[in-house]
Amino acid sequence: MRISVIGCGYLGAVHAACMAKLGHDVVGIDVDEQKISELSRGRAPFFEPGLENLLQEVQSTGRLRFATEFAAAEGSSVHFICVGTPQKKGENGADLTFVDAATSALLQHLSPGDIVVGKSTVPVGTAGRLVAVVKQAQPEADLLWNPEFLREGHAVSDTLLPDRLVYGVDGGSEDHRSVEVLDQVYASALEAGIPRLITDLPTAELVKTAANSFLATKISFINAMAELCDAAGADVSLLADAIGLDDRIGRKFLNAGIGFGGGCLPKDIRAFMARAGELGADQALTFLREVDAINMRRRTRVVELTRELCGGSLLGQRITVLGAAFKPESDDVRDSPALSIAAQLQLQGADVTVTDPEALANAARRFPELHYEKSTGTALKDADAILLLTEWQEYRDLDPYETAYSVAYKRVLDGRNVLDARKWRAAGWTYRGLGRP
Ligand code: UDX
């Protein structure tokens, strides 16, 4: 099939490459010339495991190209909208500028029979509004919503073999013409037995925000338990193991620590609350305000714990922060709790050095006032305290005995509860976890 993918960020670039991998003829379109130039050379403009190899593999087949002009979408019969929906400045709601701009730029290039497939995370009601926009420009084209559930760091495998496919179609009927077209796009996933659900448009939009809200709630739940464990002298990691064995609860997403960040969870729960308010259903989601508050409290808690760890004052303390990305296997620093903590420590007088295997360039753009160091060894040198804030494997693997030679004081704060506390203490470290005695 001939496919266009509008927006080549974390979502679109991966989607374009994966669609080509599935055998389709794909053009990726983005207004960012730098991004398009890198992608055209087979280079991933951001760090995502497996993406660069995949880009090179599919580009050599001639099935994937990139362009900055919307006219390149002409001739494709399926057009995926994969642009960002960031949080509006100073408000909770989602900024739909890019979705609206992408849809309207596409209109003049639509042919009868084309389908426009929204993948971006949008407030419920957006797709219904865009159906009318598309129909007005091209009455024989359709728009459906097919939310994306990929996780950064696993984006390629999540796109090729997702947990489920959700098709939101106008009216919600299985007989909708575009269902068959989308089935052809996803033929290999469907053959592999991936469940496919057909819904109406608002349900499909809500599936995405509901899923992310549930995940955020799960993380904040365990972080609330960590607060209690701290107060009661209990261990939240063991608590999570024990409750997680009940398969109605499950152990996944019950890792207490510095909380969630990234380009999705935080802004999605806020946009969801804002939209619920517009719909007069704000009471239904007031609990998400608490989920958000628990999450933000983690960051202040870590700053306070670091102060304690340093003997009561942060002034002049050399703090090494291990990890800047919002999670491992990513260079994404959007709303990264690690970076936000690093910046707060610096503001309060500490001398902060941040290291990360992939995210330093992005981090330096966001917080130029922090000091960045590529080498872990150099970053650790003469530290008064080290904070593990993003659980990259190389930080999990640090040896407490070897690390002790680098630092000035053996103080470690394990913001992700991934280190073996007993081993670090045995090596003479003052170890602090979150919600761990
Ligand atoms: C999320 C959803 O998982 C994905 O389905 C959706 O499509 C986009 O949003 P992503 O933002 O890539 O994906 O990251 P995710 O793996 O969900 O992690 C989000 C944040 O939660 C990270 O900062 C991570 O460190 C944190 N987290 C995750 C925890 O603090 N504890 C956990 O137990 C799990």
Side-chain angles (χ1 to χ4, degrees), residues 149-150 152 208 219 253-255 260-261 264 326-327 416:
F149 305 100
L150 67 78
E152 287 178 29
K208 177 61 192 271
I219 300 169
F253 270 68
L254 282 184
N255 295 320
F260 58 82
C264 294
F326 84 104
K327 69 178 205 182
R416 298 290 186 170

Side-chain angles (χ1 to χ4, degrees), residues 322 376 380 386 388 393-407 410 419-420 423-424 427 429:
L322 302 172
T376 310
L380 288 170
I386 64 176
L388 192 166
Q393 194 60 45
E394 67 170 283
Y395 306 146
R396 290 168 169 253
D397 291 344
L398 279 177
D399 179 75
Y401 293 94
E402 264 175 43
T403 309
Y405 289 116
S406 305
V407 297
K410 290 188 269 181
L419 299 176
D420 182 342
K423 198 168 146 193
W424 282 73
W429 288 75

